[in-house]
Amino acid sequence: MVRFFLLLSLVSCVCSWKKTENSTRLGRKLKPRSYESQLRIDRVKLEQGRVNNALIFGIAETKKENVVKIVQDIGYKLGIESPLNDIESAYRYKSSKVPQPILVRFKNNGAKGKWVILYRRSKLWNQEVYLQEHLSSTTMQLVVETRKWAKEKQYPHVWTWNNEVFYRKRDNALRLKVINMGHLHRLKTDEKAAETLDILAKNQ
């Protein structure tokens, strides 16, 4: 009888050990996937945090500058009556570029959109003042590569909106979207099929 209980105890320990080992192995398998999922979540949060932001390039830096006043004056040039009503904050954004750009955080996405549209209409870049959305590094790379491709195809318009990349083949043509680098590669190899895929994706 004693031997029976000892044997039963041993079997129970072995089963418990195997269960723990299997759980550990499962954890090892799931950990990389969970890590990748967290990276995607963090990336989305970062992009969402930038959705109301814009960067202004080309403004010389001075020691006693008033950045908010600089942005206000740019707003006046865009034809906005009360620019500060749209702005939550404005400051120099740490960057390797010289002069460092000004980051403008707008009160909402609608205000940012208004400034971006008015900037594009005003062609303020002729005065070497450049305003653009605060893009993630991934989207910035996608914009650069899309512009290279569009230039080769002689497509006149490539732009961003809310951290997404769009293009037109002609001035009044259908607006098309470049989803990611993989999609851009498909556009290069089979443009017609990739465009159809994009249109379907936008309707989902």
Side-chain angles (χ1 to χ4, degrees):
M1 182 64 70
V2 174
R3 289 182 180 179
F4 173 76
F5 282 113
L6 287 174
L7 181 61
L8 184 63
S9 177
L10 179 61
V11 170
S12 177
C13 289
V14 170
C15 291
S16 177
W17 176 81
K18 286 186 176 180
K19 184 177 180 180
T20 302
E21 180 66 16
N22 289 337
S23 297
T24 302
R25 289 177 180 175
L26 181 61
R28 288 171 183 168
K29 290 180 180 179
L30 291 178
K31 189 174 181 180
R33 184 174 297 177
S34 299
Y35 178 72
E36 291 174 2
S37 299
Q38 187 60 47
L39 282 179
R40 286 194 294 270
I41 292 170
D42 291 344
R43 190 179 299 116
V44 169
K45 287 182 178 179
L46 178 62
E47 292 176 359
Q48 289 175 342
R50 292 176 171 179
V51 74
N52 294 339
N53 295 355
L55 291 172
I56 300 175
F57 296 86
I59 305 297
E61 297 181 61
T62 59
K63 289 184 178 180
K64 296 183 179 181
E65 66 182 7
N66 185 332
V67 175
V68 174
K69 180 66 166 55
I70 292 171
V71 175
Q72 182 183 37
D73 290 341
I74 291 173
Y76 288 142
K77 289 181 180 180
L78 298 179
I80 300 171
E81 291 185 6
S82 303
L84 297 185
N85 289 344
D86 296 332
I87 297 169
E88 184 176 301
S89 61
Y91 53 89
R92 289 285 179 180
Y93 183 71
K94 289 185 179 181
S95 169
S96 58
K97 294 184 179 295
V98 178
Q100 291 186 331
I102 294 173
L103 187 146
V104 183
R105 182 179 294 277
F106 293 93
K107 291 182 178 179
N108 52 62
N109 189 249
K112 184 206 72 175
K114 178 179 71 176
W115 280 60
V116 171
I117 291 171
L118 290 174
Y119 169 77
R120 290 171 180 172
R121 289 177 181 172
S122 70
K123 298 182 179 179
L124 204 58
W125 55 81
N126 291 329
Q127 300 180 33
E128 297 185 351
V129 175
Y130 306 95
L131 185 149
Q132 67 177 44
E133 294 184 282
H134 189 195
L135 304 175
S136 66
S137 57
T138 302
T139 304
M140 182 63 75
Q141 181 184 6
L142 183 59
V143 172
V144 171
E145 295 303 319
T146 300
R147 283 177 175 159
K148 290 179 182 178
W149 170 72
K151 185 176 181 180
E152 292 175 358
K153 302 288 290 187
Q154 297 184 339
Y155 295 157
H157 302 294
V158 175
W159 73 97
T160 64
W161 190 257
N162 289 336
N163 209 45
E164 295 182 320
V165 182
F166 300 91
Y167 70 98
R168 293 186 197 275
K169 293 184 176 183
R170 298 175 301 279
D171 287 343
N172 297 318
L174 180 69
R175 184 181 80 170
L176 297 169
K177 178 179 175 182
V178 183
I179 300 171
N180 51 37
M181 293 298 289
H183 182 221
L184 179 59
H185 177 71
R186 292 197 298 275
L187 284 168
K188 292 178 179 179
T189 55
D190 192 349
E191 185 176 349
K192 186 175 181 180
E195 283 178 2
T196 303
L197 174 64
D198 177 46
I199 293 170
L200 290 174
K202 288 195 296 182
N203 290 334
Q204 289 179 351

